[in-house]
Structure formats: structure tokens, C-alpha cells
Amino acid sequence: MTSSKSATINGTFSPRVMELRKKIHDAEYVDFAVQRIAQVLSRKIVEDSEQQLMRRRHEPK
């Protein structure tokens, strides 16, 4: 496994990297993270669709 200089401190992983490595092995954490990502993407898709609809309504015919 390769790592960037910012991820290592004297050849060991930084505390942040170690925290994230621990979290990705927690099924509950991963489930929550995936659900949150899905919610954010769904909201963005709906917002973009609404904006496109509004643009179409205001286009000259």
C-alpha cells in the first residue's frame, strides 16, 4: 500500500488516517455513510431537475 507524505508521520499513519481505517471496518458507520451520500445525491438530482423545469418554463416559445 502506498501513502502520501501527508498521510504518514515518520513512517506511521496519521491519527486521522487511523481513525478512518477503523471506521471503514464498522458496518454501521459504512451503512450510515452510504445512506447519507444517497440522500445528498437524491436532493441534488431533484434540485437540478426543478431548475431545468423552471428554465424550460421561462424559455421563449
Side-chain angles (χ1 to χ4, degrees):
M1 175 180 184
T2 61
S3 61
S4 68
K5 288 182 181 179
S6 62
T8 61
I9 302 170
N10 299 327
T12 61
F13 289 104
S14 69
R16 178 70 176 138
V17 170
M18 294 305 294
E19 176 186 350
L20 292 171
R21 290 178 85 180
K22 183 178 177 182
K23 285 181 176 182
I24 65 170
H25 294 292
D26 179 350
E28 188 175 318
Y29 175 83
V30 173
D31 288 344
F32 177 80
V34 169
Q35 184 174 359
R36 181 71 180 125
I37 291 166
Q39 288 172 340
V40 169
L41 290 174
S42 295
R43 184 179 313 122
K44 180 67 175 156
I45 289 168
V46 169
E47 288 172 356
D48 288 351
S49 296
E50 290 172 349
Q51 287 177 358
Q52 287 179 353
L53 181 61
M54 293 301 289
R55 281 189 210 118
R56 287 186 196 139
R57 288 182 179 170
H58 290 78
E59 286 179 354
K61 294 184 179 183

